[in-house]
Amino acid sequence: MAINDGLTIGALATRTGLAVSAIRYYEAQGLIKPWRNGGGQRRFARADLRRLSFVMIAQQFGFTLPQIRIQLEGLPNGRTPTKADWAAISAGFRDSLDARITTLTKLRDNLDGCIGCGCLSLEACALYNPQDKAAENGQGPRYLMGDVPSN
Amino acid sequence: MAINDGLTIGALATRTGLAVSAIRYYEAQGLIKPWRNGGGQRRFARADLRRLSFVMIAQQFGFTLPQIRIQLEGLPNGRTPTKADWAAISAGFRDSLDARITTLTKLRDNLDGCIGCGCLSLEACALYNPQDKAAENGQGPRYLMGDVPSN
DNA sequence: CTAATTGCTAAACCTAACTTTAGGTCAAGG
DNA sequence: CCTTGACCTAAAGTTAGGTTTAGCAATTAG
């Protein structure tokens, strides 16, 4: 009825392109905090559109949801990022991107050095470099090469 | 007893740094094909050391196990890659790496253009680019942005 | 007023790439 | 011969990031 009652989850989904289930999941992960209307349905602030945009972009940069949550919480007052906040955050994004590009480039250069070599030796091959793998993949599914599980 | 009875799974694990459970898993995925000794235990060819090195390196390049299996099978006679095979395969690796580097670099350039903008607009922001995300992440957990699930 | 739409929750399911567990077998050293 | 330590299988568990399903309530369009 009232015009400023907030957005329904469906409207938010349509506007962001996210699935309704994804939005509920993000709430469960603490990324957004809708309130409930009389009937128990979620209602979202218009600022959540921007908040979700931020989430989607940060995911492209390879951040996990917990990391994104922390970045959102790190904003003064826990507010949605403003223009000024964004400039600060992007610097961090840029560093992260630069690091990933550097890692991949090094990997490629090693590969170039190895083409035609064919050694694939565990001791000598420059391609076999667990450190870089860890750097690029963030933390993989479970154990990284170099961890020491049993059996 | 005989010297050329093949490697035990434990020896292979020690030499490659892989967990024993991982090697069994790779066998289940068809990446290696050990034979069994009288008592039903796995015995591996020395060539499997190299084969597993190949698997580990290919993983660094972002290939999935099924893709790696296909590459190994694609070798004439299904043999372990030789020096010549390796040169051919590395060309494919290089293309894949180049593509990833290009994607990340574009993303970084877009970010540079956006620093200080702070729009985060779903319609206008250059950072919001589902195509590139799909390109970089391979296929994500389930749906990519741009797919249209229900509810 | 009522049907269709939309929303709600909890719990199970999904993929990839493994690990862990449980319950038993094999092999090697002394 | 006997005791470790290495191996075996099958099945269930793990993580991330969601989706799907089932069964039911609230909204909204007509």
Side-chain angles (χ1 to χ4, degrees):
Chain A
M1 239 134 231
I3 285 174
N4 269 338
D5 251 353
L7 299 157
T8 64
I9 196 169
L12 196 59
T14 310
R15 304 278 300 265
T16 58
L18 288 167
V20 167
S21 62
I23 296 177
R24 290 204 195 97
Y25 181 74
Y26 290 158
E27 181 191 1
Q29 301 309 303
L31 298 175
I32 37 176
K33 303 199 184 302
W35 66 91
R36 301 300 180 115
N37 75 350
Q41 298 192 349
R42 291 172 182 78
R43 289 302 125 106
F44 297 84
R46 315 208 80 248
D48 286 335
L49 277 168
R50 186 160 288 215
R51 221 174 153 88
L52 287 181
S53 309
F54 176 76
V55 171
M56 297 163 92
I57 291 172
Q59 280 189 303
Q60 289 194 57
F61 284 86
F63 289 96
T64 64
L65 294 185
Q67 289 170 334
I68 295 171
R69 184 175 53 70
I70 287 168
Q71 277 191 323
L72 283 171
E73 281 169 355
L75 295 171
N77 301 326
R79 62 181 142 70
T80 294
T82 64
K83 190 164 158 168
D85 296 325
W86 172 241
I89 288 174
S90 356
F93 279 177
R94 197 189 202 290
D95 289 348
S96 152
L97 261 188
D98 279 342
R100 290 166 71 190
I101 291 172
T102 301
T103 298
L104 287 180
T105 304
K106 267 198 325 204
L107 197 56
R108 185 187 58 190
D109 292 347
N110 282 342
L111 176 62
D112 285 347
C114 271
I115 286 184
C117 149
C119 66
L120 288 181
S121 156
L122 284 175
E123 305 87 41
C125 185
L127 284 176
Y128 184 69
N129 188 337
Q131 266 61 48
D132 281 351
K133 188 198 175 189
E136 166 61 12
N137 284 12
Q139 66 262 22
R142 304 296 299 298
Y143 292 91
L144 292 171
M145 295 200 288
D147 281 11
V148 191
S150 63
N151 190 12
Chain B
M1 237 141 234
I3 285 173
N4 269 337
D5 251 353
L7 299 158
T8 64
I9 196 169
L12 197 59
T14 310
R15 303 279 299 268
T16 58
L18 288 167
V20 167
S21 61
I23 297 178
R24 289 203 195 97
Y25 180 74
Y26 290 159
E27 181 191 1
Q29 302 310 303
L31 297 176
I32 36 176
K33 303 199 184 303
W35 65 90
R36 302 301 178 114
N37 76 351
Q41 297 192 350
R42 292 172 181 81
R43 289 303 124 106
F44 297 83
R46 315 209 78 251
D48 286 335
L49 278 168
R50 185 160 289 215
R51 219 173 153 87
L52 287 180
S53 309
F54 176 76
V55 170
M56 296 163 92
I57 291 172
Q59 279 190 306
Q60 290 194 57
F61 284 86
F63 289 96
T64 65
L65 295 186
Q67 289 169 335
I68 295 172
R69 185 174 53 71
I70 288 169
Q71 277 192 324
L72 284 171
E73 281 169 355
L75 295 172
N77 300 328
R79 64 181 141 67
T80 294
T82 65
K83 191 164 159 170
D85 295 325
W86 172 242
I89 287 173
S90 2
F93 280 176
R94 196 186 202 293
D95 289 349
S96 152
L97 262 188
D98 279 343
R100 289 166 73 189
I101 291 172
T102 301
T103 298
L104 287 180
T105 304
K106 269 199 324 205
L107 196 56
R108 185 187 59 190
D109 292 347
N110 281 341
L111 176 63
D112 285 347
C114 271
I115 286 183
C117 150
C119 65
L120 288 182
S121 155
L122 284 175
E123 304 88 39
C125 185
L127 285 176
Y128 184 70
N129 187 337
Q131 266 60 49
D132 281 352
K133 187 197 176 189
E136 167 61 12
N137 283 11
Q139 66 260 26
R142 304 296 298 298
Y143 290 92
L144 294 170
M145 295 198 287
D147 281 11
V148 190
S150 63
N151 192 9

